[in-house]
């Protein structure tokens, strides 16, 4: 397996889960690490976006030392040692709110009310190195040259693609969710489009649907969605649309 394939698998695992353990340097206990659980999403490039309050201890820690880690794993699995996990190590800094807010709220709509309660800000963790364990014996370090995806025009404006799917292709997403997740949602919603896959589901729940290969262009994404739809029709014994 090439390093590009390893990074692709690690990214897909990371996008499957919606929260991770944020590791910061403790200011109240100097020399000790401090762990806290935070929701996150990965940008198309592979940096992590978190939305945290100024009064939170981990935010105070970041302001004192911006070197952090974010560990992602499947907490629902019984044997955590046998399952995949990813640790992203990097530097945390304030993010441009307008660049990340819309996507964050599509994935975490409950966060819409946070602005009214405390001083919440978006931070970006710019990945420097990634540790990926895909199971027993599958242990890799991924340098940022392999982790980062070159920025494409559609990365910054996926709204048109998302709106198109939500307005014109709910039937396709319904089939994809039935095939990949085993759920039947009458009016599914697409929440994201990333190089490694998409998030879709309902207004209250979302699932990550992986693509088979890395999608570089918006045309690649369209082809991946068509393939997912056709694969679902075949698996569910539904004739392809003419």
């Amino acid at each position: 397996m090439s390093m590009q394939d390893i990074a692709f698998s690690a990214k897909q695992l990371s996008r499957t889960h919606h929260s991770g353990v944020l590791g910061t340097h403790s200011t109240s206990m100097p020399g000790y690490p401090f762990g806290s659980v935070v929701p996150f999403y990965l940008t198309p490039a592979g940096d992590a976006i978190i939305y945290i309050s100024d009064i939170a201890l981990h935010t105070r820690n970041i302001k004192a030392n911006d070197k952090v880690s974010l560990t992602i794993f499947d907490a629902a699995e019984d044997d955590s040692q046998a399952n995949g996990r990813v640790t992203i190590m990097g530097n945390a800094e304030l993010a441009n709110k307008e660049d990340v807010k819309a996507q964050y709220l599509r994935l975490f709509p409950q966060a819409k009310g946070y602005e009214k309660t405390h001083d919440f800000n978006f931070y970006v963790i710019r990945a420097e190195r990634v540790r990926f364990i895909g199971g027993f014996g599958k242990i890799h370090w991924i340098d940022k040259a392999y982790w980062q995806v070159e920025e494409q025009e559609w990365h910054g404006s996926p709204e048109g693609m998302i709106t198109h799917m939500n307005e014109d292709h709910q039937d396709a997403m319904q089939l994809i969710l039935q095939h990949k997740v085993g759920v039947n949602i009458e009016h599914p919603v697409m929440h994201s489009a990333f190089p490694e896959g998409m998030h879709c589901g309902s207004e209250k729940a979302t699932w990550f649907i992986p693509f088979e290969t890395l999608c570089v262009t918006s045309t690649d994404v369209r082809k991946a969605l068509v393939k997912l739809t056709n694969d679902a029709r075949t698996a569910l014994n539904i004739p392809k649309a003419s």
Side-chain angles (χ1 to χ4, degrees):
M1 181 180 289
S2 69
M3 189 55 67
Q4 288 88 348
D5 290 336
I6 292 168
F8 181 70
S9 297
K11 283 262 192 76
Q12 288 191 327
L13 187 151
S14 300
R15 295 196 189 283
T16 301
H17 304 289
H18 306 291
S19 64
V21 177
L22 176 66
T24 57
H25 294 267
S26 177
T27 52
S28 59
M29 292 280 291
Y32 288 87
F34 178 78
S36 54
V37 176
V38 294
F40 76 96
Y41 84 86
L42 294 185
T43 67
D47 295 327
I49 301 298
I50 57 177
Y51 191 38
I52 52 180
S53 170
D54 285 343
I55 66 173
L57 183 55
H58 49 223
T59 308
R60 298 204 297 270
N61 292 343
I62 287 172
K63 290 179 177 179
N65 188 328
D66 64 0
K67 291 179 172 57
V68 304
S69 67
L70 182 68
T71 300
I72 304 143
F73 63 97
D74 189 352
E77 294 292 340
D78 292 334
D79 186 357
S80 60
Q81 294 298 316
N83 294 289
R85 54 265 197 203
V86 174
T87 297
I88 300 170
M89 286 163 285
N91 300 320
E93 61 186 56
L94 282 169
N96 186 323
K97 180 179 179 179
E98 299 309 314
D99 290 344
V100 300
K101 180 179 177 180
Q103 181 59 78
Y104 189 93
L105 294 181
R106 279 195 293 267
L107 292 173
F108 305 106
Q110 68 274 17
K112 293 177 181 178
Y114 292 177
E115 291 178 302
K116 301 176 182 178
T117 55
H118 298 294
D119 294 326
F120 273 77
N121 287 292
F122 290 99
Y123 280 78
V124 55
I125 300 173
R126 301 202 181 279
E128 288 295 323
R129 207 176 187 202
V130 176
R131 180 75 160 175
F132 173 46
I133 301 177
F136 285 123
K138 300 177 181 178
I139 303 171
H140 307 278
W141 281 106
I142 305 173
D143 291 335
K144 64 179 180 180
Y146 294 101
W147 182 255
Q148 291 179 335
V149 172
E150 185 176 353
E151 185 175 0
Q152 304 291 325
E153 184 177 353
W154 68 272
H155 291 174
S157 55
E159 288 80 6
M161 188 185 304
I162 292 170
T163 299
H164 173 66
M165 290 295 294
N166 289 338
E167 291 181 352
D168 298 333
H169 297 291
Q170 285 192 336
D171 56 340
M173 289 190 291
Q174 186 177 33
L175 294 176
I176 292 169
L177 284 167
Q178 287 179 19
H179 177 214
K180 292 294 187 179
V181 187
V183 298
N184 188 1
I185 297 175
E186 187 175 357
H187 299 292
V189 178
M190 185 177 187
H191 297 289
S192 77
F194 291 112
E196 301 83 14
M198 67 167 177
H199 290 89
C200 67
S202 67
E203 295 291 349
K204 296 182 179 180
T206 186
W207 291 269
F208 178 68
I209 308 297
F211 298 150
E212 286 188 359
T213 58
L214 185 74
C215 291
V216 177
T217 68
S218 58
T219 300
D220 292 339
V221 176
R222 181 184 64 80
K223 290 179 180 178
L225 292 170
V226 170
K227 188 175 190 311
L228 282 170
T229 304
N230 288 336
D231 288 349
R233 289 183 180 280
T234 299
L236 299 170
N237 295 315
I238 298 173
K240 294 182 181 181
S242 57

